[in-house]
Amino acid sequence: MEKGKISVLYVDDEINNLNSFKAAFRRDFNILIATSGREGLELLKHNVVHVIITDQRMPEMTGVDFLIEVLKDYADPVRILLTGYTDITAVIDAVNKGHIYYYLNKPWDEQQLRIIIKNAYEIFHLREENKELIEKLIDVNGQLEFLLRQNLLS
């Protein structure tokens, strides 16, 4: 994987979709592909992923079920649900249970999806920066409390 590139995991049981996605986006992003939710979870164990895109309708595990599993151990990647079917229950579950950033219909528009991925990464990056700033703030606050106690004691 190239350092500095946005890392995207795309999960879909249709090999043609995976190949099309990889062909369209491999120059812009580090692309990981999986044919099932289980395979996607396995890839997450060994790779840093910024954005996850998953199909909704897959055998064994739906996209929403996959995203629910992802959230248990990998809350940081920004999640996008992609589907060829309009299923309002899936949309509601995706938002409420899978905490998705975006819901997109198939077939995707390449330019639109490229922008969505970049925007999703921006959210990922801002969350990471916020975590770092909070850690620094907690550290500095601890130092100030220490200095305050020292002044009160002397």
Side-chain angles (χ1 to χ4, degrees), residues 3-138:
K3 263 199 155 339
K5 264 190 173 182
I6 299 169
S7 181
V8 180
L9 169 60
Y10 178 40
V11 182
D12 195 323
D13 62 313
E14 297 177 38
I15 301 292
N16 290 341
N17 288 340
L18 293 171
N19 291 336
S20 296
F21 184 86
K22 194 165 191 170
F25 298 106
R26 71 175 180 258
R27 286 181 187 86
D28 300 310
F29 312 114
N30 284 323
I31 304 297
L32 299 166
I33 56 173
T35 57
S36 69
R38 297 265 172 253
E39 192 180 328
L41 291 169
E42 208 47 47
L43 284 170
L44 286 168
K45 288 180 185 176
H46 308 288
N47 297 278
V48 173
V49 173
H50 305 117
V51 179
I52 297 171
I53 302 172
T54 183
D55 184 30
Q56 169 57 12
R57 291 201 179 179
M58 298 183 291
E60 296 174 35
M61 184 186 295
T62 67
V64 170
D65 291 337
F66 167 65
L67 294 176
I68 291 168
E69 288 300 310
V70 165
L71 277 172
K72 291 177 183 176
D73 294 313
Y74 310 97
D76 293 336
V78 179
R79 294 161 299 283
I80 297 169
L81 188 72
L82 183 66
T83 185
Y85 305 91
T86 304
D87 181 353
I88 195 67
T89 305
V91 175
I92 292 167
D93 284 348
V95 171
N96 293 338
K97 297 177 184 172
H99 301 274
I100 64 160
Y101 161 70
Y102 210 92
Y103 177 88
L104 195 62
N105 284 314
K106 284 181 182 177
W108 65 76
D109 174 86
E110 196 174 313
Q111 285 308 109
Q112 180 191 21
L113 187 51
R114 186 172 278 108
I115 291 166
I116 291 166
I117 291 169
K118 287 178 180 178
N119 290 345
Y121 175 74
E122 186 63 28
I123 289 168
F124 175 91
H125 183 68
L126 288 171
R127 287 177 183 165
E128 291 295 302
E129 282 183 346
N130 282 345
K131 282 186 208 170
E132 289 174 20
L133 290 172
I134 289 169
E135 286 174 15
K136 286 179 184 175
L137 187 60
I138 289 169

